[in-house]
Amino acid sequence: MSHDLAKLAKERGIRYFMISFTDLFGYQRAKLVPAAAIADIQKDGAGFAGFATWLDMTPAHPDMLGMADPAGMIQLPWKPEVAWVPADCAMENKPVSQSPRVVLKNLVSKAASMGLRVKTGVECEFFLVNPDGTAISDAADYASKPCYDQQALMRRYDVIAEICDYMLELGWEPYQNDHEDANGQFEMNWIFDDVLLTADRHSFFKFMAKSVAEKHGMRATFMPKPFMALTGNGCHAHISVWDAATGKTNMFADKTDEMGLSKQGYNFLGGIMKHAESLAAITNPTVNSYKRINAPRTISGATWSPNSVTWTGNNRTHMVRVPGPGRFELRLPDGAANPYLLQAVILAAGLDGIENNCHPGKRYDIDMYQDGHTITDAPKLPLNLLDAIRNFDKDESLKQALGTEFSSAYIKLKNKEWNQFATHFTQWERDNTLDI
């Protein structure tokens, strides 16, 4: 594909380009640029005021420029006259170090310098709800065990099939769609690939799912726990590492190992386990996130989310499972995870594990939902966002790996978010303390 956006506009009938970046809180920001102006914008960047988004900047900062990455361009299948282009943020001719896509690209470069190419796939779960978000969109979807519900899936065929058709058209190789464990919840899967490509597609998928849902009079939400008694939205990540030269040799695979993992694979997993209590601030980045990973049993009988730092074989009740040779699944992240920071923190923790020869610790093969109380030596995941932020702030090696400017900005803004939440009065407080 040509990297000349003006040329692509003429070839493909593109009238507008969305120059898009993702801020620290995962919100997508964009400028809509007419094709007639795209040549100059591609050269000089689209201008943004960083302070107006969730970045640690002030109104006095210079213009922040979104520098389009044409390699990531995606023409909107539902509106082909518009093309979405991910951008890297720059200011005064330097990359903005706190920008999530820049953070990820720095870690991709570090992995390459170690001869490694990290590939991931994500399992995006979302609810289809009514426009104001107060209830699921399908009143007939009320079974206590709705997972894989054939009728409920087909009642939302128009939405799910439209999104899947678009992924097929885009060459993402989607391979299955299902009704998930909660009423009104769905998951759509496409093939794994290099972490930057996966992050761009993850970002676009959220935009696409929301857009298609709106077209059909619904709302797609990736909120971690939108309904108290229902299973929350996870964003499980499947991780493998390949050789940097060809990307075809799985560096995690070892046929002689019981789990099919190489020493390097165990070390990478060891880094994830070592940093789990602090990386949760990024994989589970909202106040609501901790309603999912510390939830009581749901209507279906299980939360399908972890609350302890444990790993296992092919067993979905742990934070990490090894479902097959040469890869593992991190089940901690939720739907609020920033697509770029999710991949970045996986790299940061895993590469630290390789560099420091980390071991993942004891493997547990028990049912954590039934017998987790028998394990007394495994760390617990944070109970709330504040604990996660504090853990992250104490993890100097992880902060350094992600970049000190990014880490400082993230901690500052997340502490501000927590403080705003802490000043919010809830109906629960009134119900329980008004007459105390």
Side-chain angles (χ1 to χ4, degrees), residues 17-91:
F17 291 87
M18 294 181 68
I19 309 302
S20 174
F21 76 92
T22 301
D23 68 19
L24 289 175
F25 284 10
Y27 289 97
Q28 295 184 53
R29 315 288 183 165
K31 285 284 187 80
L32 192 63
V33 177
I38 196 61
D40 288 340
I41 294 296
Q42 183 173 2
K43 175 175 174 287
D44 300 325
F48 296 88
F51 174 74
T53 73
W54 290 115
L55 292 170
D56 184 23
M57 295 181 184
T58 73
H61 271 82
D63 279 350
M64 184 178 73
L65 300 173
M67 306 304 297
D69 182 351
M73 189 194 88
I74 301 174
Q75 197 166 351
L76 273 56
W78 66 96
K79 193 177 284 292
E81 65 188 43
V82 179
W84 177 89
V85 188
D88 297 322
C89 297
M91 186 178 289

Side-chain angles (χ1 to χ4, degrees), residues 311-432:
W311 74 281
T312 187
N314 199 354
N315 176 339
R316 286 181 169 87
T317 65
H318 293 255
M319 188 189 82
V320 176
R321 73 171 178 134
V322 183
R327 65 185 175 98
F328 62 83
E329 177 191 28
L330 177 63
R331 297 178 60 80
L332 176 59
D334 63 43
N338 185 309
Y340 299 100
L341 296 182
L342 168 59
Q343 303 301 331
V345 81
I346 288 170
L347 263 69
L351 296 179
D352 179 68
I354 290 175
E355 289 178 319
N356 291 286
N357 197 32
C358 293
H359 191 274
K362 183 179 178 180
R363 186 181 101 210
Y364 292 97
D365 294 322
I366 66 169
D367 181 341
M368 283 295 290
Y369 297 158
Q370 294 294 329
D371 304 315
H373 63 279
T374 64
I375 297 178
T376 58
D377 56 349
K380 291 290 186 182
L381 289 164
L383 289 172
N384 54 57
L385 179 61
L386 180 62
D387 287 347
I389 297 166
R390 287 173 171 169
N391 290 342
F392 180 47
D393 198 12
K394 290 186 291 187
D395 195 333
E396 295 297 335
S397 60
L398 187 62
K399 288 195 298 182
Q400 185 174 353
L402 289 163
T404 54
E405 182 181 331
F406 157 76
S407 298
S408 175
Y410 190 80
I411 290 166
K412 176 182 175 180
L413 293 182
K414 279 295 170 182
N415 271 319
K416 182 178 179 181
E417 181 181 25
W418 174 264
N419 290 336
Q420 288 175 336
F421 165 72
T423 62
H424 173 67
F425 284 87
T426 65
Q427 188 60 42
W428 184 94
E429 292 171 276
R430 297 184 189 281
D431 292 343
N432 287 274

